[in-house]
Amino acid sequence: MTIEKKSAALGAIVAALVLLVVAAIYLAWERTRANESAMETTRRAEDARAAKVTGAQRKPGDPLTAQSVELSPQEFAKYAVKPVADREFVIQRETVGTIDFNQEMSVQVFTPFQGKILELFARAGDDVRKGQPLFTIDSPDLLQAESTLLSAAGTYRTTTKALERAKQLYEVQGIAQKDLDQAASDQQAADGVLKAARNAVRIFGKTDQDIDQILSERRIDSVLRVPSPIAGKITARNGAPGLLVQPGNLPAPYTVSDVSSKWLLASVAEIDIPL
C-alpha cells in the first residue's frame, strides 16, 4: 500500500515537469514566431520604400545598398556635380525697416535772412542743379544793405571831389597842409565804408556786376534769390508765396537730397544684435 502511494506521487511530479517543459517550449516558439513576423514586416517596408533601380530588381530580403536612382529631367536639373569648396552661409533674420534718404547727402534749404516768399521755382520731385534758384524772398535786410551801399557811394564821391579841390587849392597856397590832410583822411574813410558796404551786399549773393549796376542805376532791389546748395532732387516742399520765413525756422521751404544712395533703417530685435 505504501509503495503504491509513492508511485502515484512520483508519477504526478513527472507529469508536472513534463507540462512545464512543454509550456516553456511553446512560449519560446511563440516568441521566435513573433520576431520573425516583425522582421518580415520590416523587410516589406524597406522593399516598399526602395526606389526603382537600373538593372535587376532587388530581391525581397536583400539589404539596402547604394543604387542609381532614376530622375526626371525636371528633377535632374536641380542637381549639379561640382568640386568640393568652402562656402559661406549667411545668417539671415527678418525685421521691419524703412527706406530713407541719405541724411549725409540731404540738406534743408533755409533763407539766409528773414523775408516774405515771393515766388517758388521748383516742385517736389524736380531735379535741380547746384546754384539753381529755388525761391525768392522780399528781404528788408537786403534793402537796408543796398541803401547803405548807395549812401556810402555818395559819400565816397563827395570826399573824392573834396580831396581834388583841396589838392588844387594847396598848390596855389589856398589852404593849409592840415586841411589837405583832413580831406585825404575823409576820402580814405569813405573808401573803407564803401568797400564794407559792397561786401555786405555781396553776402546776399549779389555779384560785382550786380553791385555796379545798383550803383550806376541807383536802383534798390530787395528781391533775394535763394539757390540750391547741392545738386539733387526736391524731396520736400513746405514753402508757399506770401509765407514769412526766417533762418533756421522749421520747416525749411525746400529739402534737396542726392538720391544716388539711400539708407535702410531697420528695427533689429535685441536678441539679433550680436549677429
Side-chain angles (χ1 to χ4, degrees):
M1 190 67 179
T2 301
I3 294 174
E4 292 178 358
K5 290 181 178 180
K6 290 181 179 180
S7 297
L10 183 59
I13 293 173
V14 172
L17 291 174
V18 171
L19 290 175
L20 290 175
V21 171
V22 172
I25 293 172
Y26 177 77
L27 291 177
W29 177 75
E30 285 291 338
R31 188 178 298 108
T32 301
R33 183 180 177 184
N35 291 337
E36 292 178 352
S37 178
M39 293 176 63
E40 182 66 21
T41 302
T42 303
R43 283 195 296 269
R44 291 179 179 177
E46 292 176 355
D47 294 339
R49 290 193 302 267
K52 294 180 180 180
V53 296
T54 58
Q57 296 289 336
R58 184 175 58 86
K59 296 180 180 181
D62 293 344
L64 290 174
T65 57
Q67 302 291 341
S68 298
V69 180
E70 293 182 355
L71 300 176
S72 64
Q74 293 79 8
E75 294 174 337
F76 185 77
K78 299 179 181 178
Y79 298 91
V81 179
K82 295 183 179 180
V84 177
D86 295 335
R87 176 167 297 185
E88 181 180 358
F89 291 90
V90 180
I91 300 177
Q92 297 182 350
R93 294 290 187 273
E94 293 185 359
T95 184
V96 178
T98 57
I99 302 297
D100 193 10
F101 297 106
N102 188 342
Q103 298 301 321
E104 295 179 353
M105 303 175 66
S106 300
V107 60
Q108 293 181 331
V109 184
F110 291 97
T111 172
F113 302 94
Q114 71 173 2
K116 183 176 64 175
I117 294 180
L118 297 177
E119 190 175 2
L120 299 169
F121 303 117
R123 296 178 298 179
D126 290 349
D127 294 324
V128 295
R129 305 181 309 275
K130 181 178 180 180
Q132 177 179 340
L134 297 180
F135 61 99
T136 59
I137 64 171
D138 186 8
S139 173
D141 295 325
L142 177 59
L143 182 64
Q144 180 63 38
E146 291 177 347
S147 298
T148 303
L149 173 65
L150 291 178
S151 176
T155 303
Y156 175 76
R157 285 192 296 270
T158 300
T159 55
T160 301
K161 292 179 180 180
L163 178 60
E164 292 176 356
R165 287 193 301 268
K167 289 180 179 180
Q168 294 174 359
L169 291 173
Y170 181 75
E171 291 177 357
V172 296
Q173 302 296 320
I175 59 174
Q177 179 68 40
K178 66 180 183 66
D179 296 329
L180 177 62
D181 294 340
Q182 183 63 44
S185 177
D186 294 341
Q187 194 271 343
Q188 292 177 358
D191 180 63
V193 172
L194 176 61
K195 291 180 179 179
R198 291 177 66 94
N199 291 332
V201 175
R202 192 178 293 110
I203 292 176
F204 289 86
K206 300 291 185 179
T207 63
D208 290 336
Q209 183 179 0
D210 296 334
I211 295 174
D212 293 338
Q213 185 176 0
I214 292 173
L215 294 176
S216 62
E217 297 178 359
R218 301 180 186 276
R219 179 177 58 85
I220 295 177
D221 183 12
S222 62
V223 177
L224 175 63
R225 291 172 177 81
V226 181
S228 173
I230 64 173
K233 187 180 291 291
I234 302 295
T235 57
R237 169 181 163 173
N238 299 302
L243 179 66
L244 179 64
V245 291
Q246 295 182 356
N249 223 19
L250 293 175
Y254 280 99
T255 300
V256 182
S257 303
D258 187 344
V259 296
S260 60
S261 66
K262 295 184 176 65
W263 281 359
L264 171 62
L265 306 179
S267 301
V268 181
E270 184 176 359
I271 192 174
D272 293 334
I273 290 179
L275 301 178

